[in-house]
Amino acid sequence: MTEPADIRHIVLDTDTGIDDALALLYLAGRPDAELCAITSVYGNTPVESALTNIARVLKVAGLDDTLVARGAAGPIEGEAAIAHLVHGRDGLGDLWSDPIAPKNLSPLSSAELLVELGRSRPGYYDLLPVGPLTNIGLALEIEPELLTLYRSVVIMGGSGPFPPLGVTQMVDANIQNDAEAARRVFAAPRNELVMVGVNVTAGTIVDEQAVESLQRAGTAWGAFSAQVLHAYMDFYQHAWGRRVSSAHDGLAAALLVQPDWITKSARGPVNITSDGYSTRAHLLQTAEGLPPSWPTEPAPDTLVVLDVDRTAFLADFIRVLSGR
């Protein structure tokens, strides 16, 4: 089997809940992706549990020697809302009780490692943050040109343009948990910054048949994926009345390695907004294509994903997670 011509050398920044774990496992199974380092952060679960969960997924994937770093335990400003109700107390549905730790833990913090990797090989790594952006916000204090040192940065977070009148979107916990870090990231200079927000991930659904397929695979990968998805669906069934879930972080991971699955996008500045309840990252454009009705902050353009080929992504996602 020949090596793909364009391998993405990925640094994954994660708050290792259920969809993060599946994104990690998915990248481990893609021949065009190399997981070079994983930086942990709080969010779906406390940072120590995020580290445990990274180690658990790497063990399933057979990538125990991957470099891992301990990251921020809370946001730059404010307090975190840990998503215990969604991901369980341990971030993976409370399915395991045995302690496990990463085998290759860096002496550097997540923020320090992000800077070291970027400076060591400018333009070589792709950065994939799928949790709160705190580590990246802290790394920008050390190296303001951080995002220019990465080939691309693909964020699972944000809400796309403003929704049509009368439409309410799912809350994006990654932006909500650290608005200051998100503001720093979307204002920073970069090579390419891609926002894969809840405007596209919320409707990218792993359904009951997909989980049954994973269970039937008869592999360690399929069994692990089905187990954690069942736990995820315990929460999501109350949203839609079915045992399904959104593939939030998995979609962002897939679009990093397979950008041709993006079928519609827009470029423009992104600002952080708040209505007093929810904090969001929005492309500065209404559903009608108009600017918002208040003064905005200047920011470089971000590539904002508006639609994707869900059929192609979901088929590949389940195939890879089945471990066949």
Side-chain angles (χ1 to χ4, degrees):
M1 184 174 175
T2 58
E3 186 177 273
D6 188 20
I7 291 183
R8 296 283 183 157
H9 306 280
I10 298 169
V11 179
L12 175 65
D13 185 74
T14 175
D15 56 342
T16 336
I18 292 169
D19 57 325
D20 308 68
L22 296 177
L24 195 168
L25 195 60
Y26 174 71
L27 290 173
R30 287 276 309 214
D32 49 0
E34 179 190 9
L35 278 166
C36 298
I38 303 174
T39 53
S40 63
V41 69
Y42 73 95
N44 291 328
T45 194
V47 68
E48 290 301 327
S49 293
L51 280 167
T52 293
N53 297 344
I54 290 168
R56 198 172 302 284
V57 181
L58 289 176
K59 184 176 180 180
V60 174
L63 296 174
D64 301 67
D65 292 333
T66 303
L67 182 63
V68 177
R70 178 184 285 103
I76 294 171
E77 294 181 0
E79 296 183 4
I82 303 297
H84 293 311
L85 288 175
V86 183
H87 298 269
R89 302 298 301 183
D90 70 352
L92 283 184
D94 301 320
L95 297 170
W96 291 273
S97 58
D98 57 310
I100 185 171
K103 290 186 176 181
N104 188 11
L105 186 63
S106 173
L108 302 178
S109 70
S110 289
E112 291 167 338
L113 182 60
L114 291 172
V115 172
E116 181 180 85
L117 290 170
R119 286 174 172 172
S120 68
R121 301 187 75 172
Y124 180 76
Y125 296 107
D126 292 280
L127 178 57
L128 177 63
V130 294
L133 295 170
T134 310
N135 290 333
I136 296 88
L138 293 172
L140 283 165
E141 293 180 2
I142 305 169
E143 174 51 84
E145 298 292 320
L146 177 76
L147 304 192
T148 70
L149 301 177
Y150 283 84
R151 176 179 173 179
S152 72
V153 181
V154 177
I155 293 172
M156 192 279 114
S159 300
F162 292 90
L165 297 178
V167 174
T168 301
Q169 291 176 323
M170 180 183 288
V171 173
D172 167 24
N174 291 341
I175 303 301
Q176 177 95 356
N177 258 325
D178 197 337
E180 172 56 23
R183 184 196 63 77
R184 294 180 185 184
V185 170
F186 285 106
R190 75 290 301 264
N191 288 328
E192 177 76 300
L193 182 63
V194 181
M195 184 170 85
V196 185
V198 292
N199 56 304
V200 290
T201 64
T204 306
I205 302 296
V206 177
D207 63 16
E208 301 92 337
Q209 291 72 32
V211 179
E212 290 172 7
S213 173
L214 291 168
Q215 288 175 316
R216 291 195 303 267
T219 65
W221 287 40
F224 173 87
S225 300
Q227 276 182 290
V228 297
L229 278 167
H230 273 302
Y232 209 27
M233 290 172 178
D234 288 344
F235 171 81
Y236 271 110
Q237 65 186 342
H238 299 294
W240 295 305
R242 288 179 54 186
R243 291 187 60 78
V244 298
S245 62
S246 299
H248 296 294
D249 295 342
L251 180 61
L255 297 181
L256 191 161
V257 293
Q258 192 114 16
D260 58 314
W261 284 340
I262 300 171
T263 58
K264 186 178 181 182
S265 63
R267 283 191 183 273
V270 169
N271 275 193
I272 307 306
T273 70
S274 177
D275 58 12
Y277 297 98
S278 299
T279 300
R280 302 183 186 276
H282 271 304
L283 175 68
L284 295 178
Q285 178 180 300
T286 68
E288 297 78 23
L290 301 173
S293 58
W294 60 83
T296 58
E297 296 293 329
D301 281 357
T302 294
L303 178 68
V304 178
V305 178
L306 302 179
D307 207 355
V308 298
D309 186 339
R310 290 174 175 82
T311 300
F313 158 67
L314 288 166
D316 190 63
F317 191 57
I318 299 306
R319 178 190 62 81
V320 173
L321 292 181
S322 70
R324 289 176 173 170

